[in-house]
Amino acid sequence: MTKYIEESNQIPVIADVDVLVCGGGPAGIGAAIRAAREGVSVMVVEAMDCLGGIATAGMMSHWGGRSSSKVMQEIFDLTYEKAQDAGWHHPNWCGKDAIYHDVQKIVLDEMFLKENIRVLYYTHVCKAVVENGSIIGVIVENKSGRGFIKAKRVVDSTGDGDVAASAGVPYFKGRESDGRMQPCTIMFKICGVDYKRAVFPPSFETTVDTPKGELQALAKELLPFPAGHVLLYTQPTPDTVCCNMTNAIEIDGTDAESLSKGVMICRSQILPIIKFLKEYVPGYENCWLMSTASLIGIRETRHFEGIESLSKDDILEAKFHDNWVVRRAWFNFDVHNLTGASLDKTGVQHGWKQNNDYTIPYGCLLPKTIEGLLLSGRNISGSHLAHSNFRIMSVCIALGEAAGVAAALSVKQGKALRDVDVKEIQEIVGE
Ligand SMILES: Cc1cc2nc3c(=O)[nH]c(=O)nc-3n(C[C@H](O)[C@H](O)[C@H](O)COP(=O)(O)OP(=O)(O)OC[C@H]3O[C@@H](n4cnc5c(N)ncnc54)[C@H](O)[C@@H]3O)c2cc1C
């Protein structure tokens, strides 16, 4: 690659905060709210125009899995309450874990305003600034130009770990054996579905026999490869269904060209999928495209080296880590097919025998090499298989809460992040 030398440039210091949270998805929400409640100044930098990450901009159907998160329950209750005014149309079909995307965005804005958390939307974190092995802030870019945000502690909740990568924390991508990463998806919503007759297959392993054939098999045969499965979810709004059915493989979410290719592949599948739903799926005969996600759903990219790293066995054996910062985590190993549609053979959704909750130790949030920085959400340290489990949003928000509390305690006590007493974090985040 030929190189262009960028002119050195003086940029303004646009903020000086105790805790800077990069990325406002589930992990970023948990981190910012918890840090603010510990009385430190908090700022969130978010590339999109809303908080929630994949939950909102990514148009996710519902919050899955389980964890010890308290903030998640608050969000559920507030969103459900607000949604009564906006019309939560399907109380019998949708639990509070269903996402009413636009109401969810409003509720998250309100929560952040209440906690005095500063938010910078449409702002991209471009570079971590590290001095003597510690991160001291990040360079961002937005409509105002480039700026430096000085921070005592930084939480990386960008999903891909853009800050940690820029700071030089070692990582690998995807599956250990070959670097393949999980496929990506653009979620979309359709309307005009007849709920009385409609089917809502929630997993790859849900088969539905219809007069025209079995739905998963028909999808595999008829949808444009690598699409080829049927995943449909009820929504709180009338006659609306959230579709998790587009699929692009061999995409690297940290590479701009590859990411753009993934977007175009997924988007090109949407109309053929709707045609398929109308023709083959009972209750969908009159459905129409309502909206598509503005943020593509990237499932997997970088896995960082932490002081500790979560393994498949930690989850399978539900190991209890004394230095836990997340408790009662539960989900299945959700590995989508890395080379086609549906589920990878290592992924299990039904028939999952593990009913015990697992814990996540503090060391998975601490990068091995850099001080002042916390990993949070789907970019904590863990193996490809463990990641397929802890990437679920209920676990990511709990990871954020732990990071927020740890960052705030470390600022207040003037201690390095790795010296914060885990028992104090545990007391605040709760079991
Ligand atoms: C298609 C798909 C379907 C899924 N289905 C479910 C489901 O049904 N239920 C469930 O619970 N989980 C589901 N998951 C998993 C879950 O949504 C994610 O793993 C989870 O949202 C990760 O949370 P996070 O906060 O770590 O990252 P994200 O939700 O990805 O949030 C990261 C945020 O950081 C911002 N950001 C990224 N880079 C930068 C940057 N450089 N500068 C500024 N901002 C930045 C992004 O805009 C985003 O808002 C699904 C994931 C995908 C992709």
Side-chain angles (χ1 to χ4, degrees):
M1 187 191 276
T2 54
K3 302 267 182 185
Y4 171 78
I5 299 168
E6 194 179 3
E7 208 179 303
S8 76
N9 189 12
Q10 289 201 346
I11 57 170
V13 178
I14 57 171
D16 184 350
V17 293
D18 290 325
V19 177
L20 175 68
V21 177
C22 300
I29 296 167
I33 289 179
R34 283 296 197 158
R37 286 181 184 168
E38 290 308 304
V40 297
S41 63
V42 182
M43 182 178 225
V44 176
V45 174
E46 168 53 52
M48 305 298 288
D49 65 348
C50 61
L51 297 163
I54 293 298
T56 50
M59 213 173 259
M60 198 39 55
S61 48
H62 63 290
W63 293 73
R66 295 197 298 262
S67 79
S68 49
S69 169
K70 310 285 182 293
V71 172
M72 185 173 72
Q73 196 55 49
E74 282 179 46
I75 293 172
F76 285 5
D77 292 342
L78 284 170
T79 309
Y80 189 69
E81 192 189 308
K82 273 268 176 243
Q84 300 308 307
D85 298 334
W88 188 293
H89 192 77
H90 288 305
N92 301 327
W93 289 88
C94 294
K96 285 183 181 176
D97 58 343
I99 304 175
Y100 197 148
H101 303 104
D102 292 299
V103 177
Q104 179 91 97
K105 291 179 192 175
I106 295 168
V107 166
L108 291 170
D109 276 351
E110 288 177 354
M111 288 176 87
F112 273 49
L113 285 170
K114 190 170 162 215
E115 305 287 351
N116 281 320
I117 301 166
R118 291 167 72 187
V119 180
L120 270 186
Y121 284 137
Y122 295 120
T123 302
H124 210 86
V125 179
C126 318
K127 193 175 182 312
V129 181
V130 177
E131 269 181 19
N132 303 321
S134 284
I135 189 164
I136 58 159
V138 301
I139 294 175
V140 298
E141 190 144 346
N142 57 22
K143 286 293 270 188
S144 315
R146 267 164 103 82
F148 176 63
I149 302 178
K150 193 165 180 251
K152 294 195 178 78
R153 304 291 178 269
V154 177
V155 177
D156 185 346
S157 44
T158 59
D160 297 318
D162 288 358
V163 185
S166 168
V169 181
Y171 64 82
F172 64 93
K173 287 183 189 170
R175 183 161 66 183
E176 288 80 353
S177 57
D178 57 9
R180 280 184 196 275
M181 292 173 256
Q182 292 219 33
C184 56
T185 295
I186 292 186
M187 299 290 294
F188 63 93
K189 284 193 283 193
I190 50 174
C191 213
V193 177
D194 179 359
Y195 260 48
K196 292 195 188 72
R197 294 188 306 110
V199 292
F200 307 100
S203 79
F204 300 113
E205 289 141 324
T206 314
T207 51
V208 182
D209 290 317
T210 74
K212 292 181 179 171
E214 194 284 308
L215 281 186
Q216 302 293 356
L218 284 170
K220 198 159 244 166
E221 184 191 329
L222 300 169
L223 289 180
F225 181 86
H229 50 251
V230 184
L231 295 175
L232 299 164
Y233 300 91
T234 55
Q235 281 281 284
T237 40
D239 314 330
T240 318
V241 169
C242 205
C243 308
N244 187 341
M245 290 177 61
T246 67
N247 200 42
I249 53 174
E250 292 173 357
I251 297 299
D252 180 349
T254 65
D255 176 297
E257 288 231 358
S258 182
L259 189 60
S260 307
K261 185 176 154 201
V263 168
M264 287 194 193
I265 291 171
C266 289
R267 205 175 273 152
S268 73
Q269 296 166 352
I270 293 175
L271 296 182
I273 290 171
I274 291 179
K275 193 163 177 271
F276 171 86
L277 294 172
K278 280 164 150 330
E279 206 167 323
Y280 293 98
V281 187
Y284 289 72
E285 297 81 359
N286 298 311
C287 72
W288 48 274
L289 179 60
M290 189 187 175
S291 50
T292 66
S294 46
L295 179 63
I296 185 171
I298 296 295
R299 292 188 172 81
E300 178 184 25
T301 51
R302 303 182 179 107
H303 304 294
F304 291 93
E305 263 185 48
I307 286 183
E308 290 172 273
S309 185
L310 205 71
S311 71
K312 176 189 90 180
D313 288 342
D314 285 323
I315 297 175
L316 262 179
E317 294 163 20
K319 274 190 201 153
F320 183 80
H321 296 274
D322 283 337
N323 62 339
W324 61 266
V325 287
V326 171
R327 280 201 72 168
R328 291 190 282 113
W330 186 88
F331 195 53
N332 43 263
F333 291 113
D334 188 10
V335 188
H336 294 218
N337 187 347
L338 308 191
T339 54
S342 307
L343 204 59
D344 187 79
K345 60 179 185 311
T346 56
V348 184
Q349 305 219 345
H350 281 180
W352 166 243
K353 298 287 187 306
Q354 174 60 282
N355 284 319
N356 294 325
D357 304 334
Y358 62 95
T359 56
I360 302 181
Y362 184 39
C364 295
L365 281 62
L366 293 167
K368 213 169 195 172
T369 47
I370 300 284
E371 180 45 51
L373 177 65
L374 283 154
L375 304 164
S376 178
R378 74 170 162 89
N379 56 218
I380 64 158
S381 186
S383 69
H384 160 77
L385 267 178
H387 166 275
S388 78
N389 195 305
F390 66 67
R391 71 185 180 88
I392 200 75
M393 294 196 295
S394 55
V395 177
C396 286
I397 192 167
L399 284 163
E401 290 181 48
V405 170
L409 289 179
S410 136
V411 170
K412 288 199 291 186
Q413 299 171 355
K415 281 185 181 168
L417 282 166
R418 58 199 69 200
D419 296 335
V420 171
D421 183 354
V422 177
K423 296 276 174 271
E424 285 187 52
I425 304 174
Q426 294 174 349
E427 250 167 55
I428 298 171
V429 294
E431 295 196 11

